[in-house]
Amino acid sequence: MKEAKEKKNPEISVSITISTWGAFAVYVITGLFLIFGFHVVRNKYSVDLISDPTLTLRLLWIIEFPIVVIIYSLFRRNPEKCSYFRAVGRSLVGLIAGALINALGAVSLGAPIGMQSLSKTIHWSFLMSVFTVVPATAVLGASWIDWHRIFASLKPIGIIEHMLLVPAYGAIIGGWFGAWPMPLDWERPWQEWPICVCYGAIGGYIGGQMVSLLTFLSEHKNLKLA
Amino acid sequence: MTTAMTCTRLTIFTVAGIFLQILGLSFFVFGFFPVKPTLSGVSGSESYRDPFCDSSPISNESDLHHPEKLKLLYQELSGISSKYDRLILMVIDGLPAEFVLGKDGKPPWKVWKESMPYTQSLLANGDAIGYHAKAAPPTVTMPRLKAMVSGAIGGFLDVAFNFNTQALLDDNLLGQFFRIGWKMVMLGDETWLKLFPGLFMRHDGVSSFFVKDTVQVDRNVSRHLPDELNSDDWNLLILHYLGLDHVGHTGGRNSPLMPAKLKEMDDIVRTMHLRAMMDRSHDQGQTLLIIVSDHGMTENGNHGGSSYEETDSLMLFIGLNSNISDYASATNNVAFQVDLAPTLALLFGVPIPKNNVGVLVPGTLSSLRDFEQLRALELNSWQLLRLMQAQIQSSSFPGFSCNCFLDGTCEGIDLDISECSGDKEKQLICLFRNAAVLHGIWKSKKSTESSSAMEDFSRALDAYNTFLKTASEWLASKTTEKPVLLLGLGVSAMLISCFICATVFLSLFKEVYHEPKDQVCSLSYLLNLEEMFIFALLLILVISMGSSSMVEEEHYIWHFMVSTFYLLLLFKTAKSFNFSEGMNILRDFKFGSIFSLLISGRLLRGWHQGGVNWTYLPDISKWLQQVGSGYVKWIQLISNFLVIVLGLYTLFRTGLNRKSVRILAFGFSACGFLILLHAGRYQDEMSTDFGATVTVKVIYYLLSISAIGASLVLPWSALNKDKSFLAEVGDCLYSIGSAYILCWCLLQLLLQQPINSGPILLLFLQILAILCLSSNDLQVNEWVEIAALYYMGMAGHFALGNSNTLATIDVAGAFIGISSHSTILSGILMFMITYASPMLFLLSLVMYIGAKLRNHSHSTISTHPETSLGQILKLKLGFPCLVPLCINSILLTAYTVVLLLMRNHLFVWSVFSPKYLYVCATTLCTYIGVCIVAATVTYTFSVTTFLRSNRTRHNNS
């Protein structure tokens, strides 16, 4: 059900645009794969995020990563100059770089550094990278001015850039809030790093998707009225 | 404009607000923390009579002043034969009961058990019986001694007076013993002498002052022991050994010195047991030996809080002749620390102190005869009942009259035993009635020689014990009654002052950011991300104060929020990043500063695993101590060196290359050298020799002279004709500020534990980084930067290993360089150590103002010569003073309200009250810091203005 319309623009930034329904479809697919990931973890390996966070996080990002790359590479900038496989390739680089940035951010906010939490941190940051950096690398590549405009100045243009920006920040903010229960003395297993941060990030990611959809819809209406 | 305030009005309003706050705070503190006991006066012969009888003295007054007669009178009235003539009370400061009795029914660890062979053999033979005596927080020596001898749970504020001991005026055991003519000898901690001046026949007080001395302090006690054990002129011998507590403070529970110290204590126990109790060659009578500890200690050897490790104190009776067969029943007993007072009073035939809430320790009675046991319990019950009468209105005691249970003449009371239910007061009265009735039944049957006497006896015993236990718990919870009016006044005064502070701040805020004339403002001013964040952080802090676990783990909030703020700065800087400019140096500098803030923030967070619940997790300080003290030494050396180099760099940065600056620089270098010398030479030896004290004193003098001299002299020497007025003041303030910071850092390097020298350096770097950022035009408002400085100060406070429990206060450092005991001096030192980081960041405000002035000196303000001094002061000094005061005022007021709401919370004394003391101390710290900043800046401005006007007059003439 890919309703993404391919339309070539003779303007400077040649890109593939997408309708609101297309965005909805992309979100549904990524969300379904996330659920599929949890399903595999529970039924195939019979663990979950609490009992074995390392394995769960690893499976989650390994399942989620290809689908995100496959979908978002369709919307890459300058499709005639940049081949599909190039977009896939650079999103691999983006995965690693994004994981590094996310891990550093988490550590600077106080994630534990010891050896026993190293693997958890690594896989968590890979998942975060899939949520935040990978789609943007697939679409934008190394166009730093666009990166700066979208992520630093918060001025995205068009639906696809909104789709890059809002869920990514949703995941980061969700993860930030997810860290809140950690110092409480409820003595629940999910208060460990990175479990509740992970829940927060996934929640924030999905929340960001919903928010962006709502903005698309309202803008759509406005356009119709105008 | 009406909203624009003049400088004078602003100052007056602020000072009025602060004054109101202090007033409200003192009202609240005296209302909330109980300081007075419930009953005044001293128990006398009336305590041997039913509390419902009229309390006129039994015999004529003249007898009561004669000790021997009084003793006989008490003996006659009590009806309990006193088996013992002498008492040895050995207090081992800070010994956890776990060391001797084990924990949870398990024997103590092998190291500890093997270190105390004699005591363990006594326990195994049944000659001794030990109790885990739960101490009430605060677990500090003086309140605990008071609790032991008076049986009353003291007010929480006692801890504040712990370094200012005063005579104990309430009814207590020692006073009672003195009244019946006992001769008392005290050897050990001089706290006893301060609590009971003039009561001891002989005494040798040692000071708890040299915390690093673990040997001599106990030798000074033990040297008198042979003589005292030989002589028979005393009735009470108190030995208070401090060494074990000192071992704990310096090395923790697992200190290598601990086994040797335990062995020493064990040897003393053996000596006393063999000489004083087994050896009957002297006609000294029967001796009872009691070994108690005033409190326990945490893993790190600190105390003050309410964890199990700290409250688990020891109570060990030797020579009770109770029939205990096995080791488990000799060690696995639980009591309260306050139970010592009634037990000793009844065993030695004196009235129980009036405000005692303790109950007889059950196992101590078994050597008494049946009727004596019940009589003892009855006396204890009467005493508690008297205390209850003071708090329950008399109408709750229907039909109780003098001796009515004995005669069976109580009106309106059926003399049947009933199940007790209903509210607590009714239940207590009912329990007492049951016990009294059963006692009466037993008495009446005893005379008829009934066969069921044994059963009646045990029923009466159980009934008494139930009543005592319930009444004791109820009374202990009741000691915290609050005067509502005082609390209301205090809270409302604080709310008003908070409101005043906020209003003043808002008016200044409006003036600065909404006046189109001013350069800082933009016309369409909106709260941006960082400002929202500062407010959100304040809100989150206030909310988190309501949860006990968040209070315990407060450091997480500070570190998390401050790092988030750094990330926001990074985001903001990235936002303003301009590709056309390329990677010029300025930007790199900016990113570099933010990254250094992030890295140093993370290192600070990881340095000490603070809090309560996760202290066992690994952190940098534990790791460093594990790998060896050599690394700590290196860190100390490097920090010292870097602090001096960087400090001197900032000092010379202004180009103020005058003679005075060079002298200042020399002074600081000399201080740094002396501190290194002190660290290298005296730190490991744990000695308190003369050389160390002199060195430290020289450092103190040098540092204070440098700091005060800098602030006084530098404004006069700054004369540069080329520069504008503000630039000149800016230069000067920058130099003074860097002198302040350098001075404070050097002082902390001296006072703090060696492991904390790393964090001191990191905090210093953070200040430099944030100043570098703000002078590179961070595009963040001034007040946000100041608020951030305040928050960083608080995060640093926790990074230095502090927490919201009293146990983390570094007591050992408070005696560095003091040659004679001085409460005030060591208190000041302790305050300086604890509040090192908030104070450092408040002092950095001077430097911050200087940097701002230097930066803006080329801009428009300086071209307005008509702007008055007051106006400039208001604009430049307003925020640096108001922002910390406002934040602190909001936090203080919010926490006061939280404490009031939590007054019935289970953790009110263990979690919320210590935190409140910290909040009060933070308030004090903020006041002092802001005062210093305001005074320095005002002084510098006035001096420079004066010099300028002089110069222009000179030029004109």
Side-chain angles (χ1 to χ4, degrees):
Chain A
M1 49 178 273
K2 277 177 194 158
E3 293 173 53
K5 286 179 257 173
E6 298 200 9
K7 193 167 82 183
K8 286 189 179 174
N9 258 344
E11 288 169 24
I12 314 152
S13 66
V14 187
S15 62
I16 302 156
T17 54
I18 185 170
S19 74
T20 308
W21 283 107
F24 179 68
V26 170
Y27 286 166
V28 166
I29 292 167
T30 50
L32 281 177
F33 266 80
L34 214 54
I35 293 167
F36 173 67
F38 274 108
H39 183 77
V40 167
V41 169
R42 180 166 304 157
N43 292 345
K44 194 123 194 214
Y45 296 89
S46 61
V47 293
D48 55 8
L49 203 52
I50 294 166
S51 57
D52 192 350
T54 314
L55 179 67
T56 312
L57 286 170
R58 185 167 64 209
L59 285 169
L60 276 182
W61 77 257
I62 287 175
I63 290 170
E64 186 78 2
F65 174 64
I67 194 70
V68 166
V69 170
I70 288 167
I71 292 178
Y72 280 93
S73 294
L74 288 174
F75 310 113
R76 64 195 180 280
R77 283 281 155 84
N78 300 329
E80 68 273 18
K81 278 186 197 163
C82 165
S83 73
Y84 187 83
F85 291 102
R86 206 185 135 105
V88 172
R90 72 192 180 195
S91 50
L92 262 175
V93 178
L95 176 73
I96 293 162
L100 197 66
I101 292 168
N102 273 302
L104 285 179
V107 166
S108 75
L109 282 176
I113 307 179
M115 282 321 265
Q116 67 270 33
S117 56
L118 186 68
S119 62
K120 291 180 206 167
T121 310
I122 288 173
H123 292 296
W124 173 84
S125 52
F126 272 120
L127 185 66
M128 282 303 281
S129 177
V130 170
F131 288 157
T132 54
V133 179
V134 170
T137 21
V139 175
L140 302 174
S143 152
W144 295 117
I145 294 178
D146 283 328
W147 278 86
H148 182 257
R149 175 174 52 82
I150 296 169
F151 285 101
S153 306
L154 304 178
K155 281 171 189 150
I157 301 166
I159 286 179
I160 191 75
E161 290 185 1
H162 270 101
M163 285 171 65
L164 297 180
L165 172 72
V166 184
Y169 271 108
I172 290 170
I173 294 167
W176 188 83
F177 277 109
W180 273 100
M182 284 171 75
L184 295 170
D185 64 348
W186 299 340
E187 293 179 4
R188 297 293 153 85
W190 52 263
Q191 283 178 288
E192 290 283 311
W193 164 255
I195 299 162
C196 52
V197 179
C198 203
Y199 283 135
I202 292 172
Y205 183 63
I206 292 165
Q209 291 184 335
M210 285 175 182
V211 167
S212 63
L213 273 182
L214 286 178
T215 49
F216 298 157
L217 283 175
S218 67
E219 272 171 20
H220 196 63
K221 255 180 203 167
N222 285 348
L223 282 173
K224 265 185 183 173
L225 284 173
Chain B
M1 247 177 119
T2 46
T3 50
M5 283 207 207
T6 63
C7 181
T8 333
R9 275 181 67 193
L10 193 92
T11 319
I12 288 171
F13 271 113
T14 316
V15 170
I18 298 307
F19 184 70
L20 205 60
Q21 190 168 28
I22 295 171
L23 208 68
L25 184 62
S26 41
F27 275 153
F28 183 82
V29 165
F30 283 111
F32 193 83
F33 297 107
V35 273
K36 275 186 192 161
T38 341
L39 290 178
S40 57
V42 174
S43 293
S45 55
E46 81 283 350
S47 64
Y48 293 106
R49 290 202 297 173
D50 196 320
F52 299 101
C53 302
D54 59 337
S55 58
S56 58
I58 289 171
S59 54
N60 48 350
E61 283 291 318
S62 62
D63 279 358
L64 296 177
H65 295 295
H66 201 280
E68 276 305 315
K69 279 186 187 162
L70 194 67
K71 188 178 180 182
L72 287 174
L73 176 71
Y74 283 162
Q75 223 163 42
E76 180 193 332
L77 284 172
S78 77
I80 302 169
S81 60
S82 176
K83 272 179 66 184
Y84 304 100
D85 308 292
R86 306 202 303 174
L87 170 64
I88 302 177
L89 184 66
M90 177 178 176
V91 184
I92 305 177
D93 208 293
L95 174 71
E98 197 184 336
F99 283 15
V100 183
L101 305 176
K103 189 180 171 182
D104 300 332
K106 293 187 206 89
W109 283 11
K110 210 173 158 213
V111 194
W112 298 332
K113 200 169 177 175
E114 282 173 356
S115 306
M116 305 192 81
Y118 194 78
T119 315
Q120 293 296 339
S121 75
L122 284 177
L123 279 168
N125 297 341
D127 288 328
I129 177 166
Y131 293 85
H132 289 272
K134 194 170 180 302
T139 43
V140 201
T141 299
M142 197 190 66
R144 302 284 47 84
L145 292 185
K146 281 186 181 174
M148 270 193 270
V149 295
S150 71
I153 295 174
F156 187 82
L157 275 196
D158 270 358
V159 73
F161 302 124
N162 188 27
F163 288 87
N164 187 19
T165 40
Q166 294 153 341
L168 179 59
L169 298 172
D170 309 326
D171 193 7
N172 62 72
L173 269 184
L174 263 64
Q176 293 287 357
F177 286 148
F178 188 70
R179 228 161 280 128
I180 61 165
W182 271 29
K183 301 276 180 288
M184 294 181 261
V185 178
M186 204 292 305
L187 308 170
D189 189 356
E190 60 183 7
T191 310
W192 287 94
L193 301 180
K194 288 175 182 158
L195 281 177
F196 308 104
L199 252 61
F200 298 107
M201 176 179 65
R202 281 190 299 274
H203 56 78
D204 182 19
V206 298
S207 173
S208 61
F209 168 64
F210 301 113
V211 176
K212 287 184 173 175
D213 164 29
T214 60
V215 179
Q216 198 58 42
V217 69
D218 286 350
R219 222 172 262 166
N220 281 341
V221 179
S222 299
R223 62 180 172 168
H224 298 286
L225 205 52
D227 293 340
E228 291 297 344
L229 291 179
N230 276 334
S231 64
D232 53 0
D233 58 346
W234 48 263
N235 302 87
L236 171 63
L237 173 63
I238 296 174
L239 304 164
H240 191 138
Y241 285 97
L242 288 167
L244 198 127
D245 188 49
H246 291 188
V247 169
H249 274 303
T250 44
R253 277 193 174 204
N254 301 318
S255 162
L257 299 173
M258 194 58 92
K261 185 49 79 179
L262 286 175
K263 184 82 187 63
E264 187 188 340
M265 294 296 118
D266 190 55
D267 287 341
I268 294 157
V269 172
R270 194 186 61 207
T271 315
M272 287 194 297
H273 187 242
L274 293 179
R275 292 280 298 281
M277 297 169 72
M278 308 301 276
D279 185 8
R280 293 285 162 80
S281 58
H282 303 279
D283 186 26
Q284 295 160 328
Q286 185 95 355
T287 308
L288 179 64
L289 171 59
I290 299 180
I291 298 161
V292 294
S293 60
D294 51 351
H295 50 74
M297 60 172 73
T298 59
E299 248 352 274
N300 302 326
N302 285 321
H303 54 87
S306 57
S307 68
Y308 174 79
E309 283 78 19
E310 290 159 276
T311 56
D312 177 35
S313 69
L314 175 72
M315 200 192 286
L316 189 73
F317 295 86
I318 299 175
L320 269 182
N321 301 339
S322 46
N323 311 314
I324 297 149
S325 46
D326 59 324
Y327 183 76
S329 59
T331 55
N332 203 5
N333 303 305
V334 181
F336 286 93
Q337 196 172 40
V338 283
D339 296 348
L340 188 68
T343 308
L344 287 182
L346 290 167
L347 282 177
F348 287 91
V350 290
I352 302 172
K354 217 159 199 170
N355 287 304
N356 159 56
V357 295
V359 298
L360 269 170
V361 179
T364 54
L365 288 180
S366 45
S367 62
L368 296 178
R369 278 170 289 174
D370 286 358
F371 74 90
E372 287 176 337
Q373 287 190 30
L374 285 183
R375 174 67 177 167
L377 289 167
E378 185 182 49
L379 288 175
N380 197 182
S381 304
W382 282 351
Q383 182 266 324
L384 290 186
L385 206 62
R386 278 201 176 81
L387 208 54
M388 278 163 59
Q389 275 177 323
Q391 297 182 15
I392 306 175
Q393 56 273 52
S394 54
S395 60
S396 306
F397 296 92
F400 283 50
S401 62
C402 187
N403 289 335
C404 73
F405 292 105
L406 199 62
D407 315 331
T409 55
C410 294
E411 286 165 33
I413 297 183
D414 48 345
L415 292 175
D416 293 331
I417 304 307
S418 53
E419 277 297 308
C420 296
S421 58
D423 62 346
K424 205 77 187 173
E425 284 93 356
K426 283 227 177 70
Q427 205 182 332
L428 280 170
I429 293 162
C430 161
L431 282 172
F432 173 73
R433 198 201 57 205
N434 281 354
V437 167
L438 283 169
H439 193 188
I441 290 173
W442 181 77
K443 269 184 192 165
S444 61
K445 279 196 185 160
K446 195 184 73 166
S447 50
T448 60
E449 299 276 328
S450 162
S451 59
S452 63
M454 203 55 218
E455 192 192 327
D456 283 333
F457 169 72
S458 63
R459 279 178 72 196
L461 205 68
D462 286 346
Y464 267 126
N465 279 329
T466 319
F467 165 72
L468 285 173
K469 198 164 163 284
T470 326
S472 169
E473 277 165 14
W474 185 78
L475 284 167
S477 71
K478 267 282 168 173
T479 41
T480 53
E481 199 87 337
K482 314 272 188 297
V484 181
L485 183 69
L486 214 56
L487 293 185
L489 262 178
V491 171
S492 44
M494 277 149 96
L495 280 173
I496 293 169
S497 103
C498 187
F499 179 73
I500 292 175
C501 283
T503 318
V504 172
F505 170 72
L506 281 179
S507 76
L508 186 69
F509 185 82
K510 264 186 199 156
E511 194 185 331
V512 171
Y513 295 115
H514 277 279
E515 237 176 27
K517 276 187 284 181
D518 202 291
Q519 27 118 30
V520 195
C521 89
S522 56
L523 274 169
S524 59
Y525 183 78
L526 276 168
L527 279 182
N528 50 31
L529 196 57
E530 309 84 42
E531 302 190 327
M532 293 280 280
F533 181 75
I534 296 289
F535 281 125
L537 174 46
L538 211 55
L539 192 71
I540 287 164
L541 277 171
V542 169
I543 293 169
S544 74
M545 281 169 172
S547 132
S548 63
S549 55
M550 277 301 202
V551 171
E552 283 173 339
E553 311 293 330
E554 196 187 343
H555 57 289
Y556 283 107
I557 301 176
W558 287 109
H559 290 305
F560 191 65
M561 286 315 211
V562 169
S563 334
T564 310
F565 181 76
Y566 300 152
L567 288 178
L568 282 182
L569 286 185
L570 189 65
F571 176 73
K572 182 122 188 169
T573 319
K575 200 171 173 179
S576 65
F577 188 78
N578 200 337
F579 285 96
S580 58
E581 275 181 43
M583 296 278 184
N584 60 24
I585 297 166
L586 194 73
R587 300 283 172 200
D588 284 345
F589 227 51
K590 228 162 149 175
F591 279 111
S593 312
I594 294 175
F595 280 118
S596 66
L597 277 177
L598 276 170
I599 293 166
S600 60
R602 186 65 184 87
L603 281 176
L604 281 172
R605 183 193 198 277
W607 206 275
H608 285 285
Q609 181 67 43
V612 173
N613 295 321
W614 288 280
T615 38
Y616 58 87
L617 290 179
D619 57 25
I620 298 175
S621 66
K622 281 184 205 128
W623 177 72
L624 279 174
Q625 270 156 1
Q626 260 169 23
V627 294
S629 63
Y631 288 91
V632 180
K633 275 257 142 75
W634 273 108
I635 286 179
Q636 208 175 0
L637 192 73
I638 293 167
S639 316
N640 207 324
F641 181 72
L642 279 180
V643 163
I644 289 179
V645 167
L646 287 171
L648 291 183
Y649 167 70
T650 53
L651 202 60
F652 281 115
R653 224 182 123 204
T654 51
L656 214 70
N657 253 333
R658 301 219 154 238
K659 208 184 263 170
S660 45
V661 179
R662 263 175 252 147
I663 293 170
L664 211 58
F666 174 74
F668 284 128
S669 320
C671 282
F673 174 73
L674 282 177
I675 288 166
L676 278 182
L677 189 81
H678 176 81
R681 240 179 157 178
Y682 303 112
Q683 217 149 47
D684 355 288
E685 292 169 20
M686 295 190 178
S687 70
T688 45
D689 74 7
F690 185 67
T693 314
V694 168
T695 319
V696 174
K697 272 189 178 155
V698 168
I699 297 172
Y700 287 160
Y701 286 127
L702 263 178
L703 283 179
S704 45
I705 288 170
S706 310
I708 295 169
S711 64
L712 289 180
V713 174
L714 278 183
W716 295 96
S717 62
L719 272 179
N720 193 337
K721 291 195 178 86
D722 309 330
K723 283 196 175 169
S724 67
F725 170 65
L726 286 182
E728 201 172 296
V729 178
D731 278 353
C732 196
L733 281 177
Y734 193 85
S735 298
I736 295 174
S738 54
Y740 278 174
I741 292 176
L742 184 55
C743 170
W744 188 256
C745 281
L746 287 175
L747 187 65
Q748 294 306 327
L749 284 174
L750 172 71
L751 292 177
Q752 298 268 354
Q753 291 164 347
I755 195 78
N756 270 351
S757 50
I760 295 284
L761 173 68
L762 290 172
L763 290 172
F764 188 73
L765 288 176
Q766 281 200 323
I767 287 178
L768 294 186
I770 198 114
L771 283 176
C772 168
L773 273 178
S774 86
S775 59
N776 278 338
D777 193 20
L778 191 57
Q779 295 167 319
V780 173
N781 283 325
E782 193 188 349
W783 76 272
V784 175
E785 288 175 0
I786 294 160
L789 276 174
Y790 182 87
Y791 291 150
M792 285 160 70
M794 287 312 291
H797 172 67
F798 291 101
L800 286 171
N802 294 300
S803 72
N804 281 330
T805 61
L806 296 175
T808 46
I809 295 177
D810 180 15
V811 185
F815 298 106
I816 293 176
I818 304 181
S819 45
S820 63
H821 195 297
S822 158
T823 312
I824 299 168
L825 278 183
S826 48
I828 290 173
L829 281 182
M830 204 142 69
F831 179 78
M832 289 208 288
I833 294 173
T834 313
Y835 282 89
S837 164
M839 201 54 146
L840 180 67
F841 279 84
L842 282 170
L843 289 178
S844 78
L845 284 175
V846 177
M847 205 166 155
Y848 172 82
I849 297 170
K852 276 269 149 171
L853 284 173
R854 270 156 56 85
N855 238 28
H856 291 302
S857 57
H858 308 295
S859 59
T860 45
I861 282 191
S862 52
T863 56
H864 296 301
E866 72 272 15
T867 42
S868 67
L869 183 66
Q871 191 69 9
I872 296 172
L873 269 181
K874 184 180 78 178
L875 288 178
K876 295 301 158 198
L877 192 55
F879 280 129
C881 291
L882 273 176
V883 170
L885 285 177
C886 269
I887 294 174
N888 184 65
S889 156
I890 290 169
L891 290 182
L892 177 71
T893 313
Y895 195 68
T896 309
V897 174
V898 166
L899 190 66
L900 207 57
L901 294 177
M902 295 287 165
R903 66 192 176 280
N904 294 324
H905 194 280
L906 183 63
F907 296 145
V908 66
W909 297 117
S910 53
V911 175
F912 290 107
S913 300
K915 160 77 180 158
Y916 196 71
L917 290 192
Y918 274 103
V919 171
C920 293
T922 316
T923 309
L924 181 67
C925 172
T926 314
Y927 290 162
I928 295 172
V930 167
C931 276
I932 293 174
V933 172
T936 312
V937 174
T938 316
Y939 175 77
T940 312
F941 264 102
S942 349
V943 166
T944 317
T945 318
F946 174 73
L947 285 179
R948 284 246 153 187
S949 61
N950 256 9
R951 201 188 308 159
T952 43
R953 209 182 306 143
H954 191 72
N955 285 353
N956 289 347
S957 61

